[in-house]
Amino acid sequence: MISVHLKKLRRRTEISSDEERAIRNAVAETRKVPADQILIRSGQELNSSMLLLDGWMARSKDLAGGERQVTQLHVAGDFPDLHGFTLKRLDHDLVTLTHCTIGVVPHERLQAITERYPRLARLYWFSTNVDAAITRELALSLGQRSALSRMAHLFCELYTRLDTVGLAHHDGFAFPLTQRELSECLGLTVVHANRTIQELRRRGLVELENRHLTILDRRGLQGVAEFDPAYLYLDRMPF
């Protein structure tokens, strides 16, 4: 199941057989985790990181009143808490949105990779930089984009990221989030999120049914979003 992670890495650079072996050997065990679980709590001491092999996760922060903000969505192939390798604790929760399969990567094995395979170390450093770029783009959406543009942008981003690892179709992708979870991603009320979906549908841009998002007019959706995938750094490059 680690192949989806390797596909994500290979989108940007070649991975040698030795490097692939090192990545595979870094996974000490795999676990299946139900949906709606807090996998890692803010402040929890960490000695391993989680590689998402299947399913959807989110980074989130909660207020005392129970309000939640999702700060990033993660899909199969992502390394959602790789930054925990250096930080040793997170300032946010890592939660499962669906049933997930994860690979547990002890930090001592990540340490060995950084020492023996410096190119992989740079590649994983790059991946945390891309995560930061995605979070900055979300901050721009929350602060400046309209609700319609905000939602359209998220849909465009998710399509691009899922397509990178072979999990999107030519006209859409599986979208397992509830309307509440979607509203927590976008800083909207559930009612506002629902009205925004209906407006995108009315414009003939998307259809959301049975947990599947169909993009009816990709160019139109990108136009509403003012979507530029440059912040995802998908070009191949040397490391």
Side-chain angles (χ1 to χ4, degrees), residues 72-93:
Q72 191 169 341
L73 292 171
H74 286 286
V75 298
D78 287 357
F79 223 146
D81 66 330
L82 181 58
H83 52 304
F85 170 51
T86 53
L87 296 175
K88 300 307 178 189
R89 60 180 175 83
L90 302 182
D91 53 79
H92 54 275
D93 295 336

Side-chain angles (χ1 to χ4, degrees), residues 12-231:
R12 294 170 171 104
T13 192
E14 295 297 325
I15 301 294
S16 72
S17 57
D18 283 348
E19 289 169 333
E20 177 178 338
R21 190 176 304 111
I23 294 168
R24 290 183 180 277
N25 289 340
V27 178
E29 61 174 307
T30 59
R31 298 176 187 167
K32 294 187 181 298
V33 185
D36 303 318
Q37 300 292 308
I38 299 179
L39 189 61
I40 298 174
R41 290 186 180 274
S42 176
Q44 176 183 337
E45 186 176 348
L46 301 176
N47 56 23
S48 63
S49 291
M50 306 297 171
L51 183 58
L52 181 55
L53 304 177
D54 187 47
W56 289 50
M57 286 184 180
R59 303 185 201 180
S60 67
K61 294 178 75 76
D62 295 350
L63 295 177
E67 300 89 349
R68 170 173 290 182
Q69 177 64 53
V70 169
T71 62
Q72 191 169 341
L73 292 171
H74 286 286
V75 298
D78 287 357
F79 223 146
D81 66 330
L82 181 58
H83 52 304
F85 170 51
T86 53
L87 296 175
K88 300 307 178 189
R89 60 180 175 83
L90 302 182
D91 53 79
H92 54 275
D93 295 336
L94 186 64
V95 300
T96 59
L97 300 176
T98 67
H99 179 90
C100 292
T101 302
I102 60 170
V104 180
V105 182
H107 286 169
E108 61 191 34
R109 298 192 186 186
L110 279 174
Q111 179 75 29
I113 283 179
T114 63
E115 292 173 353
R116 185 171 180 184
Y117 299 94
R119 202 177 75 91
L120 281 183
R122 293 191 295 272
L123 183 55
Y124 281 126
W125 182 12
F126 167 86
S127 73
T128 62
N129 290 337
V130 173
D131 281 349
I134 291 171
T135 301
R136 287 191 294 273
E137 198 68 26
L138 176 61
L140 177 62
S141 283
L142 295 174
Q144 299 298 328
R145 290 189 174 108
S146 68
L148 195 71
S149 177
R150 201 181 303 179
M151 186 174 288
H153 196 279
L154 179 65
F155 290 161
C156 289
E157 177 189 296
L158 287 171
Y159 178 85
T160 303
R161 291 170 59 194
L162 288 164
D163 186 56
T164 298
V165 292
L167 295 177
H169 310 296
H170 74 281
D171 63 349
F173 52 90
F175 186 78
L177 273 64
T178 65
Q179 286 198 13
R180 175 164 296 281
E181 290 165 343
L182 178 59
S183 71
E184 290 170 344
C185 292
L186 299 174
L188 304 172
T189 65
V190 173
V191 171
H192 197 176
N194 182 59
R195 288 175 179 166
T196 305
I197 292 171
Q198 297 306 320
E199 178 61 17
L200 289 173
R201 179 184 288 120
R202 187 190 69 79
R203 295 189 183 198
L205 300 176
V206 303
E207 190 72 44
L208 182 57
E209 278 190 321
N210 300 320
R211 299 203 168 198
H212 187 277
L213 183 81
T214 301
I215 299 176
L216 304 171
D217 179 356
R218 191 180 308 169
R219 181 172 295 182
L221 189 68
Q222 291 172 340
V224 169
E226 296 183 347
F227 181 70
D228 179 355
Y231 70 99

